[in-house]
Amino acid sequence: MTSVLAMVNKVKKIVSVVGARPQFIKALPVSLALKDSFKEVLIHTGQHYDKDMSQVFFDELKPLSSHYNLGVGSASHGCQTGQMLIRLEGVLLKEKPDLVLVYGDTNSTLAGALAAVKLHLLIGHVEAGLRSFDKKMPEEVNRVLVDHMADFLFCPTQASVNNLLKEGIKENVFQVGDVMYDSVLLFQKKAESSSKILKKLKLEPKEYLLCTIHRASNTDIKENLSSIIKALIESGEKTVFPVHPRTRKYLSEWGLDQLLKKAPKVRIIKPLGYLDFLQLEKNARKILTDSGGVQKEAYFFKVPCLTLRETTEWIETVEAGWNKLVGTKPETIIQAIKEFFPPKRQKNLYGDGKSSEKIKEILMKKLS
Ligand code: UD1
Ligand code: UDP
């Protein structure tokens, strides 16, 4: 009798797969929510590996910790995803989870879902249903494939639910809100009290612009990266630019690092930890970015956002008037820096900060 009860009450095991900077930030609130009801095993694929792209987040986002680091590192898409697939399969066979949880749209997300589906394991996709409708973006291919493999689809927004409906995905689609909003609510006070970044960079609130760039379409094409850098320099604005390693490589490859050396108003710095970066976002006058997560965080902090792309998955921020798609043309970017002002009011687009709890509740019901 006891053993039957023990079997019925057996704690279910969830394997979460992460690998890139934004996924550590998304996984933390979910890990916290799962803690008392599930056994979670976190696998870091090793897609990001520099200290300031990986370890800094495990140091700050306590108690997030990885049980495995697969050490895959950088390579071409096929090679990187293939290596992840091989190594993930071994761990999944060993761990025998009841569900595999994947986040967002990176190669780690695709490999996690593919490894799981081939082993007939259940898959949950956090940040499901996002679409840019641009198949040249590697992330778009990853999102579409993962959504069609997933058993439980945790959508942040109504638009993402609608996208899935249009592709015929109707079952087990849950609009839970955005887990990145959960993270911001968990960490913004700590960022406020512990980050010294404004002092360190000698910045006053609202006197500077914050810029991040890392999309392949912006970094790998010389014309596009040159055009964005030209806009930053010619705007004459004080700009802080924490540079992603991919972008650093291409700034050097395209000779733009030399141009930036002669432009003291554009401050090139290393990628920052989450707490410092939140502080810089919150106090920026405007944010220029091609990042998905940063577009949302700009909205959470009520900072106007200029998105250096032609499309966005976070379309509701544009519709709400807080985000403008400016592409890469210097005149368009400079004009928006000077003239883009959002409305005074904001709608709550991303839930109530309890998305992770909702995910846990759903999984408890579905896996019981
Ligand atoms: C990846 C994701 C992207 C996500 C971004 C978050 C894919 C296809 N892309 O892009 O969706 O928005 O992470 O930041 O999964 N590099 C280092 N050190 C590192 C990591 C990367 O030097 O720790 C350099 C390497 O030269 C590498 C390049 O950056 O080739 C690109 O890294 P990769 O992980 O392939 O893609 P990201 O551009 O980081
Ligand atoms: N971020 C950070 N330090 C930085 C730049 C970004 O901590 O120097 C955080 C940011 O707060 C957000 C996430 O990283 O939560 C966004 O990651 P990124 O832009 O690399 O990827 P994307 O969201 O586009 O996939």
Side-chain angles (χ1 to χ4, degrees), residues 96-238:
K96 300 184 180 55
D98 297 287
L99 175 109
V100 175
L101 209 49
V102 294
Y103 292 84
D105 54 20
T106 70
N107 288 346
S108 297
T109 321
L110 176 63
L114 202 50
V117 80
K118 295 275 182 187
L119 295 173
H120 302 160
L121 295 169
L122 290 173
I123 301 166
H125 185 200
V126 179
E127 228 178 56
L130 276 293
R131 296 291 182 267
S132 65
F133 304 103
D134 173 6
K135 274 207 180 152
K136 289 219 177 87
M137 270 184 97
E139 293 83 0
E140 182 73 357
V141 177
N142 292 345
R143 290 176 200 127
V144 173
L145 292 174
V146 172
D147 283 338
H148 285 263
M149 288 188 267
D151 299 280
F152 306 111
L153 297 106
F154 300 112
C155 295
T157 58
Q158 186 58 50
S160 51
V161 173
N162 296 344
N163 288 336
L164 292 179
L165 281 175
K166 279 184 212 146
E167 291 174 24
I169 304 176
K170 303 187 182 94
E171 301 241 319
N172 287 325
V173 173
F174 306 96
Q175 188 179 345
V176 292
D178 197 302
V179 295
M180 286 189 109
Y181 187 43
D182 297 15
S183 298
V184 165
L185 293 185
L186 279 171
F187 285 94
Q188 63 176 355
K189 278 211 181 98
K190 188 156 188 223
E192 188 84 56
S193 63
S194 69
S195 167
K196 308 221 170 1
I197 193 72
L198 291 184
K199 211 168 159 198
K200 192 170 158 200
L201 299 177
K202 298 192 177 62
L203 294 169
E204 293 297 328
K206 303 296 167 188
E207 64 147 4
Y208 64 92
L209 310 178
L210 175 64
C211 177
T212 78
I213 306 168
H214 73 274
R215 284 294 149 213
S217 57
N218 281 339
T219 56
D220 304 17
I221 299 172
K222 183 178 181 183
E223 195 187 39
N224 290 351
L225 192 57
S226 309
S227 194
I228 297 171
I229 298 302
K230 185 168 186 257
L232 296 183
I233 295 174
E234 287 186 4
S235 77
E237 300 276 350
K238 190 181 273 192

Side-chain angles (χ1 to χ4, degrees), residues 14 26 29-30 33-34 38 99 101 103 124-127 152-155 174-179 182 354-366:
I14 294 180
K26 292 168 199 180
V30 180
L34 297 179
F38 293 95
L99 175 109
L101 209 49
Y103 292 84
H125 185 200
V126 179
E127 228 178 56
F152 306 111
L153 297 106
F154 300 112
C155 295
F174 306 96
Q175 188 179 345
V176 292
D178 197 302
V179 295
D182 297 15
K354 297 195 173 77
S355 307
S356 312
E357 270 303 312
K358 288 178 191 141
I359 292 172
K360 180 200 76 180
E361 294 294 332
I362 294 162
L363 289 179
M364 280 181 70
K365 246 190 239 158
K366 294 287 177 181

Side-chain angles (χ1 to χ4, degrees), residues 294-313:
V294 176
Q295 287 176 64
K296 279 183 287 174
E297 287 167 353
Y299 190 81
F300 303 154
F301 288 125
K302 300 192 171 67
V303 176
C305 185
L306 305 178
T307 294
L308 303 159
R309 290 173 47 190
E310 305 293 343
T311 59
T312 180
E313 315 66 64

Side-chain angles (χ1 to χ4, degrees), residues 82-101:
Q83 280 300 325
M84 287 177 190
L85 193 56
I86 294 167
R87 296 179 201 193
L88 279 166
E89 187 175 64
V91 180
L92 293 180
L93 282 169
K94 182 172 157 218
E95 292 291 342
K96 300 184 180 55
D98 297 287
L99 175 109
V100 175
L101 209 49

